[in-house]
Each structure stands twice: as structure tokens, then as C-alpha cells.
Amino acid sequence: MKVSLEWLKSYVDIDCSVDELVDKLTMSGTKVEGYEKRLENIKNVVVGKVLEISLHPHNQNLFVCKVDTKDKILTIITAAKNVKKGLHVPVAKPGAVLANGKTIDVLEFKGIVSEGMLCSLEELGLTRSEFSYADENGIFILEGMDDSMIGNDIKTALGIDDVIIDFEITSNRPDCLSIVGIAREIAAILNKPLKFPNLSFKEADEPVKNYIDSIEIQNKKICRRYIGRVVKNVKIEESPLWLRRRLIACGVRPINNIVDVTNYVMLEMGQPLHAFDLNKIYGRSIFVRLASDGEKIITLDGVERILRSSDIVIADEKRAIAVAGVMGGLDTEVDESTTLVLLESATFNPAMVRRTARYLGLRTEASNRFEKGLSPYFAELAIQRACALIEQIGAGEVVQGIVDTYVSPWQQVEIKADFSYIEKLLGLRIEKDEVVNILNRLEIKYDEEKNVFIVPPFRTDIEDMADISEEVIRIYGYDKLPSRVFMGNAISSGLTQKQRMVNSVKNFLANSGYYEIYSYSFESPKVYEVLKGYNLDDAVKISNPLGEDFSIMRMQLLSSILKTVYLNISRNIKDVKIFELSTVFKKSGEKLPEEKPVLAIGSSSQDFYSLKGVLENLFDMLRIKDVKFSSQHQNPNLHPTRSAKIYTDESFLVGYIGEVHPDILEKFDIPTRVVYAELFIDELLEAEKKEKRYVPLPKYPAVERDYAFVVPDDLESRVIEEIFKKYSSDILEEFRLFDVYKGQQIKPGFKSYAYKAVFRSKTKTLSDSDINQLQEKILDELKSYNISLRE
């Protein structure tokens, strides 16, 4: 936001240099992007007076002028025809620099030397918006000058020796998007009184009810307050020079006196206003409502806009006449024929104004302020200030009374005072009187009887003692905070046991040929129309989702694995081996949802037993012993006969493994089998053996034997493994299934399991008789399960 220093000085006495002021503002939290002096490039251009003028003896299109510049009378040649004797003009002396960077030299024109140049508006970087009396095609004739001004610098003489400061205003400080807001900050920093703009004016005897009956707000959520005032006997003309000059300094183009007043007040007070030609409004009521889908309005820029039902409009009894908070309508524009004006000052919903401005691609100075969330406090002050200015410049007569529809009144904010909190938070003791003085300078009052801080209505960002503390220190001075050596105890750093395990798991799977994937934690509720065993009531719903497909937090990783498998297969990548270690979410009775880390592994190129072997190796790496696989599970997303639950004892479930159910594969358009495993990280961490034990190299040789058993189809292999461990746990070093066969050589209803057993004793060399004795006991017990050795 660009601010004129000359304008600021009319509200607060600034007795320091621009550099000092900029530093103080930045240190107090009002960041200054930079500053520049108006027409800073112009040098050595002064006010001069034409003493004589004659035609050039060798060129009848040129004039030779004698010009007084106080210290010297210069001979200057010009082609401008509006130069006359006795006029005051801007003179660029030899060595002068103009607005475009051009340097003026002494030049000879057909035997006569020209010692400078008479300047036009353009050459000074000025426009007729400021000096409407000037001739754009000739020399800039200075009006209102006398001989005492001769020799003065042109910028000082014209009153444009100003400094423009560019501020970066944060979104939480809409009160600073104004000249008064910045002046209030400067007054607090410099400990100077704030000179508030004049709000007084004289009302005409005629009541406002003669012109307008009511202002109706359709919904208090779209507009908190809407004020209307009527101005009659309006005279549309050019604004005074001082007003136009301030608008131009802040980057706003003057239009006419009424529109200029609304823009002036917006810059000065931070509250956008709008002026309607009341004679162009149908009926005697104004409505603040939502637009109809497809409703059209031509805005002041001459563009037809098509609105949505989420856009706020100002309407009369027939049509929309303005897009609220963004731009007015062309049909009710104030122009040269206007004699009756309705002034609007309102507080619109900031989020809705922002969405409308983005949708229309129409960001304006007004929408920029409304988007930040203005206090309704400003609405009345701004319209009073506008009426005072209209009276001051003689633009019209303000009709008696206002129409003020205030549906959501401002509530006084009081914060329980705690001076010890300020000291604790800042780490600095500031005396109570000093704290109260600083806050008074910011118009935050302290009620000693109630022991509360009373927040002014324009400070919508102050809510608690932390905010109060921030206000105190930024005015007191961050540079006054004492420097202290940071004290603390050095602690050893490193990964936690869980982090180390997760890294080990990822490295193991990567070394085993699996690729890690990352997928969104957001998903669509439609996923659970395919996957079974989940209740959508347990899902954590996102309050502001990107869309329906990302509206809940995921409760499983299977869908991510299957989507990735499908993506690869659809690109003719058949050998898919992937894993993801991420978090799943579930609603809990507490405030925060339950978050559970899960490892998901998927492959389209492996079968059940291959993946089971990978998991067994993973458990060995983690030193998790006695892991069991059981087909007795209830996971409806896996194949009923090619899947198993994984546990370390009868009740400690650590995951699942199996082929994905064919019905689910069909819904994901996957034409091949997919084997899937899911492990729970927290349960693995609990089962993991934390300590490593040294095992010496064996002293005695091993005895290896292969067994082939004929087993009923419905019997799990773990039955055989458990019986072997039962009788030979002390000497059974390895017991591994290496073949499963079912065919013509096996009777119907049975299958063949082939195992490799390795026996070794820690105390002696085992003999055949030692193994045979154990073997007989094992085979006897296996017979009770209808298991026999294959012949």
C-alpha cells in the first residue's frame, strides 16, 4: 500500500527523518517495502518569469524568450505558442534532468544560443488530472504564482515535494490499510497525539425518508452492517487540487468530486464506500442479497458479469446494481447529470468477497480491504467523513438522517489483565505504568477496577494476553530485549527404536526387490463400497476437502497398493513388487483421531508362499521368533482359502497375508492375481527382540533329513511344525517347508508337504539312534492327525 508522507503529517507530527521513521515502523511490525520521493528524478528545474518574447530572426516558428530565474536571466528558445510575456513557467536550467532522464544542455539554434528549456506537463512527469488548467500541447503555465516564487524549485512551488512510502500490510491488520491506521501506528511509536479527521457537517432539513424507505439484508452471514446516506443538490465537477494530488500520490486516478470523495475516504479511513445515482435506482428500497445463478450485471468497467448464487449483490426492486465489495454497476454510475446520490458504507463477508473477486478476475482496492475482514465500526465513521468532505468541497447537501441496518453488532472485547504473563512471555520486566502507557497510545484502555484491557473496535486481531504482550513489546522495542546465552542440558541424539526398525524394514524390502511407494492419505468414501469390513462412521472426515475423492482420511493401505498395481499393469509392467509404510486413521472418542502405522506389501509376480518366505526372513531380521500363520481369520478382502493371519501367540495379531479376493481385483480392473501382506508396525515393535545375544559357532556336526508327509487338505502345515518343535526343540536347528505337491500320486483329499530338518546338539555328536527315537515319537503323534510319511 502506497502512502503519502504529506498526507500522514496532517494527522500526526513527524519530527524525524524519513529513514528514521521507516526503521521505527519496520521494527514495530509495520513493514516498509521502501520509499521514493515524488519526481525525484527531476533536478535543477525552477520557477521562472517570461520578461520578453520575440520571433527568431532566422526561423518564424521559434520564439526567443528572456526568462528571469532570480539568479540569472536566461535566453531560451521555444516553439510553444502559448508562452506570453509576464507568465510564470517551469524552467530547466543547463544541467537540469527531466522526468524521462533527459539532461538539458546549452544549444545553438541558427546563431542564437538557448540556455535551457521551458517545460511541459509531460516533461515534468505530471498530468492534467492534477493541473486541469494546463495545456497538454504547450508549455506548462503556472497559475497562482507571484514573483516571490521565482527561482524556487518546481517541486516545492507546486507542493508536490512529497515522499511515497510503500507498506506491506499483513492480513491480520486491516486497520492499517488506511492513512489513519498508519498515522495511528506512527503516533504510538513517536508518542505523539493522533489528529483524527473532521467528521462534523451540517445536515439539510429534509429527512432521508423522503428518498429511501429501507435497506434490507437477506442474510446476516453475507453482510453485518449496511449504512445509507443521501446527498442532494449534487454538483458534479472536478475535485480541488489538494484532494486530487493526494489521490494521485497514492496511485488513484481522480474522476469527479463525488467519486473522488469515496476513494479519498477509502484510502484515509480504510473503509470502501460507493456512490449510486439515486435517480437511476428503481423503487425506494435497497436489498443486500445473494445473486441468482446466471444473473447478469454490467460493472463500471463496461464488462458484463455473469454471477453465481454464492455472490453478494446490492439490488433495487428490479435488478442488481453492484457486486458487493468488488465493483458498482454501470446502470447507476455517478456522471455529469447526477444531482442525487446514495452513499453506501457496509461490512460484507470477507470470504465471500474474496471468492467473488477471484471468480470474476476482478481484484479492486475495495475487495482487497473487504477480504481482510473489516470491523463494522469503520462503516459509520467513513460515511460521516465522506459527508464532511462533500460539505467542505461544496459538492452537495447531506440529507438529514441515515438508514443503518446493523444485523450483527460488534461486541466489546475485554481481556483479563495479567501483567505477570507479559513478563513471563517476554522474559523482560516492564513496569505496569509503562505497559498501561504503551497500550493507551495504541488506544487499548486498561480498566483498573475490573482489571481488564478493553480492545478498541478497529483491532479485530487482538484476542488474548499473548496479543496484548505482542503489542507492548513491539512499541517498547524488540531491540531492548536483553541478549542472553541459551542455557540447556546436552542430550544424546539419535533415532528411536521405532525409527530404527522402520528404516531396517524399508532397507530389507528394498534389498529384496520391492519398490517403495507414497500415496495420498486422503481418499474417497466410494472405496468402501468395494473394500469390506470397514465402517464409514469410523472415518475421519475432512472439513474442507479438495473434492469428493479426497474427503476422508484413509483407514487402510490395500486400495493404494491395488491402484498402483493397476497403474503399472496398464502400462504393460507385469512384474510389480511394491510396499508402502504409512499411517491409517480411525475416528476415536477423543479429540484427535487414532493414527496407526501400517506396512503394506503387494505383488503381481509372486504367489502366497513366496511372499510368506519374504515375511519369514523379515521376522528373522527383526529377531521375532515363534511367528505363526493361521488360515482361521476373518479378512473379507482376501481369498478365503489362500490367506492367513499372522500372530506371535494366540491373541497377539501382527498382520495378514494372502491373495486379494477376486471380486475386489475385478472392481479395480486388475486381470491377474495379487498377493498382499499387511503388518502392524506397533505390534512388530512390541514383538521385536530388543537385545542381541551372542551364539557361538557350533562344535558338533549337523544331521540333515528330508521328510515327505501325506497330509489332509484341510490341515495346516503349522501342525507338523509344532509337533517337531515339541519333541526336538533342544536339537532342532532348522525345519523348513520346501515343497507342496498335489497330484495323481497322492490320494484324493490329501496333499504332500516336504520338509528339510536339521538336527544339531550343543553337547555331543548326534547318532542315528538319537534321531530315530525322536522321529518315532513325532510320527506316532502325527498319525493322530491322519498324517503319514509318503512312500
Side-chain angles (χ1 to χ4, degrees):
M1 182 183 74
K2 295 185 184 299
V3 173
S4 160
L5 183 60
E6 177 272 330
W7 199 348
L8 282 172
K9 286 181 176 179
S10 62
Y11 303 130
V12 61
D13 292 328
I14 299 174
D15 54 4
C16 60
S17 69
V18 178
D19 287 330
E20 289 177 313
L21 178 65
V22 164
D23 288 341
K24 289 177 184 292
L25 283 165
T26 300
M27 286 300 294
S28 71
T30 307
K31 183 180 178 183
V32 176
E33 287 288 305
Y35 69 89
E36 62 178 356
K37 293 182 179 179
R38 270 200 85 190
L39 309 182
E40 185 176 15
N41 292 338
I42 295 179
K43 293 179 174 58
N44 208 22
V45 179
V46 300
V47 176
K49 182 178 181 180
V50 180
L51 301 178
E52 297 178 12
I53 184 169
S54 60
L55 286 173
H56 193 291
H58 305 299
N59 189 334
Q60 298 300 302
N61 293 321
L62 298 177
F63 300 93
V64 180
C65 303
K66 297 290 184 179
V67 183
D68 182 8
T69 62
K70 190 176 183 179
D71 58 344
K72 186 178 181 181
I73 296 176
L74 302 176
T75 299
I76 298 176
I77 297 175
T78 180
K81 297 181 180 180
N82 64 332
V83 179
K84 296 179 181 178
K85 180 180 177 180
L87 295 178
H88 294 88
V89 292
V91 181
K93 299 166 72 174
V97 180
L98 302 183
N100 60 6
K102 179 181 178 181
T103 301
I104 302 303
D105 296 321
V106 175
L107 297 175
E108 182 180 340
F109 289 87
K110 296 197 174 190
I112 299 179
V113 175
S114 179
E115 302 173 292
M117 188 176 82
L118 306 184
C119 301
S120 66
L121 271 178
E122 182 181 0
E123 288 161 338
L124 295 177
L126 302 172
T127 66
R128 290 193 72 243
S129 296
E130 288 181 277
F131 303 96
S132 57
Y133 61 83
D135 185 350
E136 284 186 318
N137 299 315
I139 298 303
F140 179 21
I141 306 301
L142 302 176
E143 293 187 1
M145 300 282 177
D146 56 38
D147 290 350
S148 65
M149 300 298 293
I150 296 173
N152 284 5
D153 185 270
I154 192 65
K155 291 176 284 188
T156 304
L158 293 175
I160 53 178
D161 190 14
D162 195 4
V163 175
I164 308 303
I165 306 175
D166 191 4
F167 290 91
E168 180 184 329
I169 306 300
T170 55
S171 59
N172 66 318
R173 292 298 305 273
D175 58 297
C176 284
L177 282 170
S178 63
I179 306 296
V180 170
I182 297 296
R184 185 183 285 112
E185 289 291 301
I186 295 173
I189 294 167
L190 301 180
N191 199 11
K192 303 279 188 180
L194 177 69
K195 305 169 190 176
F196 206 78
N198 173 46
L199 302 180
S200 62
F201 57 92
K202 183 180 178 181
E203 295 181 327
D205 293 336
E206 193 174 10
V208 70
K209 290 297 183 183
N210 288 356
Y211 297 93
I212 184 169
D213 291 335
S214 65
I215 295 173
E216 298 181 18
I217 298 176
Q218 182 187 67
N219 185 332
K220 68 179 182 180
K221 291 183 179 180
I222 66 175
C223 180
R224 294 182 63 180
R225 190 178 193 182
Y226 193 104
I227 301 176
R229 293 208 72 139
V230 175
V231 181
K232 67 177 184 177
N233 298 329
V234 172
K235 301 174 185 176
I236 300 297
E237 55 190 11
E238 188 177 64
S239 298
L241 177 60
W242 62 268
L243 194 152
R244 286 183 282 119
R245 186 174 291 161
R246 286 182 172 179
L247 290 178
I248 291 170
C250 293
V252 177
R253 179 175 63 88
I255 298 174
N256 60 53
N257 51 359
I258 294 297
V259 175
D260 290 350
V261 163
T262 62
N263 288 331
Y264 185 94
V265 172
M266 177 183 68
L267 296 174
E268 182 183 55
M269 307 293 288
Q271 169 70 47
L273 303 177
H274 187 67
F276 298 97
D277 187 328
L278 193 55
N279 289 323
K280 298 176 183 178
I281 292 176
Y282 291 102
R284 293 169 54 88
S285 294
I286 298 296
F287 304 92
V288 184
R289 60 173 174 81
L290 292 173
S292 304
D293 270 326
E295 186 171 1
K296 297 179 180 179
I297 181 175
I298 299 176
T299 47
L300 287 170
D301 56 1
V303 178
E304 183 179 74
R305 312 283 179 177
I306 301 175
L307 305 176
R308 308 163 301 173
S309 60
S310 58
D311 301 322
I312 312 170
V313 296
I314 313 303
D316 58 19
E317 294 179 0
K318 285 190 176 182
R319 84 282 198 209
I321 57 176
V323 181
V326 181
M327 186 176 283
L330 189 64
D331 290 344
T332 54
E333 178 185 21
V334 172
D335 55 27
E336 292 79 3
S337 64
T338 299
T339 58
L340 192 63
V341 164
L342 171 66
L343 286 178
E344 165 204 282
S345 183
T347 309
F348 299 112
N349 183 301
M352 297 180 75
V353 170
R354 179 171 61 252
R355 285 194 289 267
T356 297
R358 288 182 61 187
Y359 164 69
L360 296 177
L362 191 62
R363 297 295 299 276
T364 61
E365 288 287 343
S367 69
N368 181 43
R369 286 165 171 77
F370 280 119
E371 288 173 12
K372 304 295 189 296
L374 294 176
S375 168
Y377 159 83
F378 288 112
E380 186 173 3
L381 291 181
I383 205 164
Q384 288 177 341
R385 175 60 174 159
C387 292
L389 284 170
I390 287 172
E391 180 184 73
Q392 179 182 341
I393 66 176
E397 299 176 43
V398 181
V399 170
Q400 186 179 48
I402 66 172
V403 181
D404 186 357
T405 305
Y406 202 171
V407 295
S408 183
W410 170 79
Q411 300 295 324
Q412 177 72 62
V413 177
E414 295 183 353
I415 299 171
K416 188 72 174 176
D418 185 350
F419 291 92
S420 63
Y421 178 91
I422 298 175
E423 180 179 352
K424 180 179 178 182
L425 184 65
L426 301 180
L428 174 70
R429 178 172 178 77
I430 304 176
E431 294 299 326
K432 178 180 176 181
D433 290 345
E434 177 70 5
V435 170
V436 172
N437 176 49
I438 289 172
L439 295 175
N440 274 331
R441 285 151 61 182
L442 292 166
E443 300 185 36
I444 303 171
K445 305 302 180 184
Y446 173 59
D447 187 327
E448 191 166 6
E449 183 177 339
K450 296 168 64 177
N451 191 36
V452 295
F453 294 115
I454 302 173
V455 180
F458 54 83
R459 290 302 300 273
T460 56
D461 59 311
I462 298 179
E463 299 177 347
D464 51 32
M465 277 303 302
D467 297 324
I468 293 290
S469 303
E470 181 185 3
E471 294 301 303
V472 171
I473 191 58
R474 72 184 187 86
I475 300 300
Y476 184 77
Y478 290 109
D479 56 329
K480 295 180 182 177
L481 287 171
S483 299
R484 296 176 181 171
V485 178
F486 178 78
M487 302 296 292
N489 297 322
I491 59 172
S492 60
S493 62
L495 300 177
T496 65
Q497 179 65 25
K498 185 175 181 178
Q499 289 170 330
R500 287 196 294 270
M501 191 195 78
V502 165
N503 287 343
S504 297
V505 169
K506 288 185 176 183
N507 289 334
F508 172 83
L509 291 171
N511 292 334
S512 299
Y514 290 84
Y515 290 90
E516 184 176 7
I517 66 168
Y518 291 89
S519 57
Y520 287 116
S521 294
F522 308 147
E523 66 181 358
S524 170
K526 295 179 181 178
V527 169
Y528 298 100
E529 296 175 6
V530 178
L531 300 184
K532 308 302 179 185
Y534 298 96
N535 188 343
L536 272 177
D537 292 336
D538 295 331
V540 178
K541 296 178 176 60
I542 300 169
S543 58
N544 55 340
L546 298 173
E548 177 66 18
D549 290 342
F550 300 96
S551 61
I552 63 173
M553 303 297 288
R554 63 182 173 191
M555 295 187 283
Q556 43 69 46
L557 298 181
L558 176 57
S559 60
S560 299
I561 293 291
L562 293 178
K563 288 176 184 177
T564 306
V565 170
Y566 167 75
L567 186 65
N568 281 271
I569 290 176
S570 65
R571 285 160 174 72
N572 204 30
I573 301 172
K574 306 298 183 184
D575 185 7
V576 181
K577 293 170 68 177
I578 56 175
F579 75 92
E580 180 171 14
L581 204 162
S582 190
T583 305
V584 296
F585 302 84
K586 185 179 180 182
K587 190 185 297 181
S588 67
E590 302 173 0
K591 184 177 181 180
L592 295 176
E594 176 187 344
E595 299 183 29
K596 187 172 184 177
V598 172
L599 170 65
I601 307 172
S603 175
S604 63
S605 60
Q606 292 178 292
D607 59 14
F608 174 88
Y609 294 104
S610 298
L611 184 55
K612 179 173 177 285
V614 172
L615 294 186
E616 288 173 339
N617 291 335
L618 174 61
F619 295 139
D620 286 342
M621 186 269 293
L622 296 174
R623 301 184 300 283
I624 300 176
K625 304 298 182 183
D626 300 324
V627 177
K628 300 177 178 63
F629 293 81
S630 172
S631 62
Q632 304 299 317
H633 69 88
Q634 296 179 342
N635 191 328
N637 299 307
L638 300 181
H639 194 290
T641 62
R642 299 174 190 158
S643 55
K645 69 178 180 180
I646 310 168
Y647 60 93
T648 56
D649 58 46
E650 291 298 333
S651 60
F652 198 64
L653 183 69
V654 296
Y656 294 94
I657 180 175
E659 289 185 11
V660 180
H661 199 289
D663 291 346
I664 293 176
L665 293 175
E666 183 180 355
K667 295 291 179 58
F668 279 87
D669 293 329
I670 297 176
T672 184
R673 291 181 179 181
V674 174
V675 63
Y676 173 79
E678 184 177 284
L679 298 177
F680 312 132
I681 296 300
D682 290 338
E683 282 75 1
L684 289 181
L685 184 65
E686 188 172 340
E688 182 186 20
K689 299 298 182 185
K690 306 300 187 293
E691 296 181 358
K692 294 181 181 180
R693 291 188 177 182
Y694 168 72
V695 178
L697 292 173
K699 296 180 180 180
Y700 303 99
V703 177
E704 296 184 3
R705 290 194 178 181
D706 291 343
Y707 297 92
F709 297 105
V710 179
V711 182
D713 278 339
D714 59 352
L715 199 68
E716 297 180 356
S717 61
R718 66 184 179 88
V719 173
I720 302 173
E721 295 170 5
E722 289 172 357
I723 291 174
F724 263 82
K725 290 177 182 178
K726 175 182 175 182
Y727 288 98
S728 56
S729 58
D730 292 340
I731 63 172
L732 185 63
E733 186 175 273
E734 181 182 349
F735 188 72
R736 176 169 54 86
L737 178 69
F738 67 84
D739 184 55
V740 179
Y741 173 74
K742 188 172 182 179
Q744 293 180 355
Q745 299 179 22
I746 304 298
K747 56 186 176 181
F750 287 80
K751 56 191 172 186
S752 173
Y753 285 156
Y755 289 90
K756 174 178 284 297
V758 179
F759 301 94
R760 191 195 304 269
S761 172
K762 297 178 182 178
T763 59
K764 66 175 184 176
T765 300
L766 294 174
S767 63
D768 285 343
S769 61
D770 294 329
I771 303 301
N772 292 338
Q773 288 177 11
L774 290 173
Q775 185 175 295
E776 288 178 8
K777 293 177 182 180
I778 292 170
L779 294 177
D780 284 342
E781 185 158 341
L782 288 175
K783 287 178 182 178
S784 64
Y785 290 94
N786 199 14
I787 299 174
S788 60
L789 282 173
R790 181 177 171 186
E791 297 178 357

